[in-house]
Amino acid sequence: MRMKRVILVTGTPCIGKTTTAKALAEKLNAHYINLTEFAKTYNLILGEDKQRKSTIIDEQKMRQKLTQTINSINNQNIVIDGHYAAAIVPTRSVTHVFVLRRNPQELKAFMEKSGYSQNKLQENLQAEILDVCLTEAIEAHASKVYELDITGKTTQEVIVDIMDVLNMNKKCSVGIVDWIGTLEREGILDEYLKT
Ligand SMILES: Nc1ncnc2c1ncn2[C@@H]1O[C@H](COP(=O)(O)OP(=O)(O)OP(=O)(O)O)[C@@H](O)[C@H]1O
Ligand SMILES: [Mg+2]
């Protein structure tokens, strides 16, 4: 039997994880898990962080439930979508981690279109600029991490890049973007990093 792949799709909020992960799951005929939905379905929410307007997850319970779910699926690849996927899915279960990256100028436009508050927008842009998701992914999954710059790409183009990695046609490394340098060259870094 072919090895079951457990593929994480992670990245800063609003970067395009769900759009990409759903398309990938369809392409691979894989089981799709969205961690936000998963937490709701299995009642893994401890409460609300009112200040940050986000939910607090019972991480231990979520790890247990994820392990159980992953182990119960035998003949299908699994695609897991979530911005904290790399921190929460047990390392031994994971085969690939795709960290999606988007130029902060484009990400800002996406967030504005999606109606993000000024605070959330600033917080998430800074997380993208400072490689927060990438760092988290490398800490937990090291050589399984593939960083993809999806700026200006259609979903189908992103899927082609991911399939190239999965089929081992393309090596993909980390450290491929430098948003600090990019914004600095444009003379707008301060604008993005101010609090
Ligand atoms: N390749 C793309 N080209 C253009 N727009 C895109 C692309 N991918 C996603 N989008 C748009 O960007 C927005 C965010 O996408 P999506 O919901 O997939 O992001 P996400 O990372 O899952 O967000 P969240 O962290 O809130 O779950 C949506 O409006 C989506 O339609
Ligand atoms: Mg999403």
Side-chain angles (χ1 to χ4, degrees):
M1 194 188 79
R2 217 161 38 90
M3 195 184 77
K4 170 176 82 186
R5 295 183 183 122
V6 177
I7 303 164
L8 310 188
V9 177
T10 187
T12 305
C14 203
I15 208 127
K17 297 178 293 294
T18 300
T19 311
T20 305
K22 279 190 171 166
L24 180 64
E26 198 172 313
K27 174 93 184 166
L28 295 172
N29 193 20
H31 182 85
Y32 168 77
I33 298 174
N34 178 300
L35 290 182
T36 310
E37 304 292 323
F38 192 82
K40 281 188 206 149
T41 305
Y42 294 105
N43 201 16
L44 307 169
I45 296 167
L46 287 176
E48 299 290 320
D49 181 336
K50 291 217 169 69
Q51 207 183 348
R52 304 187 67 235
K53 290 208 179 99
S54 58
T55 49
I56 304 163
I57 301 294
D58 186 332
E59 293 192 10
Q60 202 186 341
K61 263 200 196 163
M62 186 175 244
R63 274 197 195 94
Q64 277 170 2
K65 192 68 202 168
L66 276 169
T67 303
Q68 201 183 25
T69 305
I70 291 167
N71 289 343
S72 72
I73 297 168
N74 288 318
N75 299 312
Q76 213 181 1
N77 294 311
I78 303 172
V79 175
I80 303 179
D81 160 15
H83 82 269
Y84 54 86
I88 206 130
V89 184
T91 303
R92 65 182 178 282
S93 313
V94 173
T95 58
H96 299 80
V97 182
F98 290 95
V99 182
L100 308 184
R101 308 302 306 269
R102 196 180 287 287
N103 183 306
Q105 287 177 276
E106 189 172 285
L107 181 58
K108 187 171 180 232
F110 278 36
M111 285 183 188
E112 282 167 350
K113 205 170 149 201
S114 299
Y116 274 67
S117 70
Q118 195 55 35
N119 281 352
K120 275 275 164 199
L121 195 135
Q122 205 73 10
E123 181 184 329
N124 289 326
L125 283 176
Q126 289 180 7
E128 178 61 18
I129 292 166
L130 298 174
D131 304 329
V132 170
C133 271
L134 177 69
T135 308
E136 219 165 67
I138 293 169
E139 269 168 16
H141 305 281
S143 60
K144 298 171 190 168
V145 178
Y146 304 87
E147 187 184 15
L148 294 178
D149 181 4
I150 66 168
T151 311
K153 290 194 172 172
T154 64
T155 305
Q156 283 322 306
E157 286 170 330
V158 178
I159 297 304
V160 168
D161 286 347
I162 292 178
M163 290 308 295
D164 275 347
V165 172
L166 293 177
N167 294 330
M168 291 189 283
N169 291 333
K170 196 181 195 173
K171 280 215 169 131
C172 181
S173 50
V174 295
I176 59 162
V177 303
D178 168 20
W179 297 147
I180 290 183
T182 305
L183 296 176
E184 215 166 21
R185 281 191 293 280
E186 298 273 336
I188 52 173
L189 181 62
D190 288 352
E191 190 188 311
Y192 278 75
L193 288 184
K194 72 169 184 249
T195 49

